[in-house]
Amino acid sequence: MKIKEFINEFEKIIPARQAEDFDNVGLLCGNQEREISGILIAHDALESVVDEAIEKNFNVILCFHPIIFSGLKSITGKNYVERAVLKALENKIAIYAIHTAFDNDYFGVNYKICEALDLKNQKILMPKQNQLKKLEIYVPVDSAEKLKDALFEAGAGNIGFYDECSFSISGNGTFRPLEGSNPVTGTQNERENANEVLLSVIFEDYKKHQILFAMKQNHPYEEVAYQLISLENENQYTGLGRFGDLEREMDVADFLKSVKEKFNLNVIRHNSLTQKKIKRVGVLGGSGASGIKSAISAKCDAYLTGDVKYHDFFSGEDKMLICDIGHFESEQFVTQQLFEILSEKFTTFAIAKTTIKTNPVNYFI
């Protein structure tokens, strides 16, 4: 399988285009025309990870964090980013990053954190805004099913755990072909009455081009009558963070002890201990202080994330326990998740998790 073929199939599972706008995901370096000899999964594509790929004769590194985040003006090996990229290029190794595409995924980073905490009734903490669109198309009755199937195949009508969702209204349409037209039915300069269907489907914005292409390829008319409508509905199945409820409420001290054990932590940084019990818990893997207000709005009793700054701890306002469990520690399940996804889907090349510890933070106990 070529790298570009792998990317095409992999992004059907975790679409790169659902990443945050600021992020740098996808194929960061490498020739996508090369055949894959093996994929090494890592949290960070450091130089030591590239060395491991070379040793294993793997030519693809699938990493969580993008080693290239901002623009590189040169690649001379003067810092850890350039050294990793330079060695990858010299040894014909491709690097592909997923980062916030996996953060935003319904079964991504935050899903696994909630699973580790055994949270029930899970929901997205910060659902994607302004992402959904509705397509309305007028199509002849006898062509409606063919067009509908093509739109579904292109990704339209997928809503949460349902697919092939649409709505149709039958009616009568009119048009008059003018000079220069080549109508499927009707005569130039004469009004035509046609039995048509108004077909509606909803889709995520990043699928727009493929869906419009499928529409035009499978519509019989020379000029397709359609409209795109931006929806204000939140996408309840894509977004950052997650929250859910414990089976039973816990004292704060017992909750912190449980978190420390389940995540194998050396330390938990937290704000002042509240007197309330812990029942609803919010999570956001990585640097998640931006989700504190959303967690409070969701009536979370506790919030787990990483990279919380001094002043962020005040944001709890004695309403919510804020726990900084560490950036890497909150994302620690990612490589195993990706290993399981790839092992189930791809069987024609070797897949392995790195043995290199890439967490740069250490604790003196």
Side-chain angles (χ1 to χ4, degrees):
M1 176 179 281
K2 290 185 177 181
I3 293 174
K4 67 178 182 181
E5 295 170 335
F6 162 74
I7 292 173
N8 182 59
E9 292 303 312
F10 180 69
E11 291 191 356
K12 292 178 182 178
I13 308 169
I14 306 171
R17 287 173 291 182
Q18 69 184 12
E20 295 296 299
D21 292 338
F22 67 80
D23 208 0
N24 187 34
V25 300
L27 186 63
L28 304 185
C29 68
N31 184 351
Q32 60 182 346
E33 294 294 334
R34 290 198 177 102
E35 292 286 333
I36 295 178
S37 61
I39 294 182
L40 184 63
I41 302 169
H43 209 89
D44 305 276
L46 304 179
E47 185 180 10
S48 55
V49 173
V50 178
D51 286 332
E52 185 179 9
I54 295 169
E55 182 183 341
K56 286 182 163 65
N57 194 32
F58 287 7
N59 65 348
V60 177
I61 295 174
L62 177 64
C63 58
F64 181 62
H65 291 141
I67 187 69
I68 303 173
F69 194 76
S70 54
L72 295 177
K73 294 185 177 180
S74 64
I75 306 178
T76 61
K78 63 180 176 290
N79 56 47
Y80 81 96
V81 172
E82 292 186 14
R83 286 193 295 274
V85 174
L86 186 59
K87 182 167 283 190
L89 291 172
E90 289 174 339
N91 290 274
K92 300 180 179 179
I93 294 173
I95 299 177
Y96 183 98
I98 63 167
H99 204 207
T100 56
F102 202 39
D103 282 320
N104 278 318
D105 196 81
Y106 189 83
F107 292 109
V109 177
N110 300 294
Y111 170 81
K112 192 63 179 179
I113 300 173
C114 288
E115 290 295 290
L117 294 168
D118 196 26
L119 299 184
K120 313 299 181 186
N121 309 314
Q122 296 180 28
K123 294 182 180 179
I124 299 294
L125 180 64
M126 293 184 285
K128 277 282 191 181
Q129 307 284 332
N130 304 315
Q131 188 197 46
L132 298 176
K133 290 192 179 297
K134 181 168 72 167
L135 173 64
E136 294 185 345
I137 322 158
Y138 296 89
V139 58
V141 173
D142 56 2
S143 299
E145 284 303 313
K146 177 189 174 184
L147 179 59
K148 193 185 299 182
D149 290 341
L151 293 173
F152 291 156
E153 181 66 25
N158 290 3
I159 303 174
F161 295 101
Y162 296 84
D163 64 4
E164 300 190 3
C165 301
S166 70
F167 186 76
S168 302
I169 301 175
S170 298
N172 184 265
T174 65
F175 59 90
R176 186 172 68 163
L178 302 177
E179 296 293 334
S181 64
N182 184 27
V184 175
T185 61
T187 304
Q188 285 187 354
N189 298 315
E190 293 185 12
R191 182 188 298 165
E192 174 77 6
N193 287 278
N195 291 323
E196 294 182 331
V197 171
L198 172 58
L199 175 62
S200 301
V201 289
I202 293 175
F203 60 91
E204 295 94 345
D205 182 67
Y206 66 80
K207 298 177 182 177
K208 181 176 73 173
H209 296 298
Q210 66 200 50
I211 287 171
L212 291 182
F213 179 79
M215 176 194 74
K216 292 173 182 177
Q217 289 294 108
N218 291 275
H219 199 292
Y221 285 173
E222 186 177 25
E223 295 290 343
V224 181
Y226 71 95
Q227 59 182 341
L228 283 172
I229 302 170
S230 296
L231 303 179
E232 294 186 5
N233 306 52
E234 294 179 338
N235 187 344
Q236 297 293 330
Y237 298 92
T238 304
L240 294 173
R242 208 171 178 93
F243 67 93
D245 300 321
L246 296 168
E247 187 74 43
R248 297 180 182 82
E249 65 178 18
M250 301 177 69
D251 292 328
V252 171
D254 290 337
F255 173 74
L256 289 172
K257 182 179 179 181
S258 174
V259 170
K260 190 175 181 182
E261 291 174 352
K262 289 179 177 179
F263 288 80
N264 192 28
L265 304 175
N266 291 315
V267 64
I268 299 176
R269 299 168 63 234
H270 60 81
N271 56 350
S272 299
L273 295 177
T274 62
Q275 297 303 311
K276 66 189 303 183
K277 302 284 187 179
I278 305 299
K279 176 70 173 179
R280 175 162 293 177
V281 182
V283 306
L284 178 51
S287 300
S290 60
I292 291 175
K293 289 184 178 179
S294 295
I296 292 174
S297 296
K299 302 189 183 305
C300 292
D301 304 309
Y303 180 63
L304 272 60
T305 188
D307 295 344
V308 179
K309 296 180 180 179
Y310 177 89
H311 294 285
D312 293 328
F313 281 109
F314 289 115
S315 303
E317 298 280 3
D318 294 326
K319 299 176 182 177
M320 182 176 73
L321 178 69
I322 299 174
C323 304
D324 184 338
I325 65 173
H327 189 121
F328 178 89
E329 289 79 4
S330 66
E331 300 171 341
Q332 64 182 272
F333 307 113
V334 167
T335 53
Q336 180 61 30
Q337 285 178 273
L338 293 175
F339 179 77
E340 291 173 2
I341 291 169
L342 265 62
S343 297
E344 181 178 346
K345 179 71 176 179
F346 303 98
T347 58
T348 57
F349 47 79
I351 300 167
K353 295 183 294 181
T354 183
T355 59
I356 304 297
K357 176 183 177 292
T358 64
N359 183 8
V361 181
N362 294 277
Y363 300 95
F364 182 76
I365 306 299

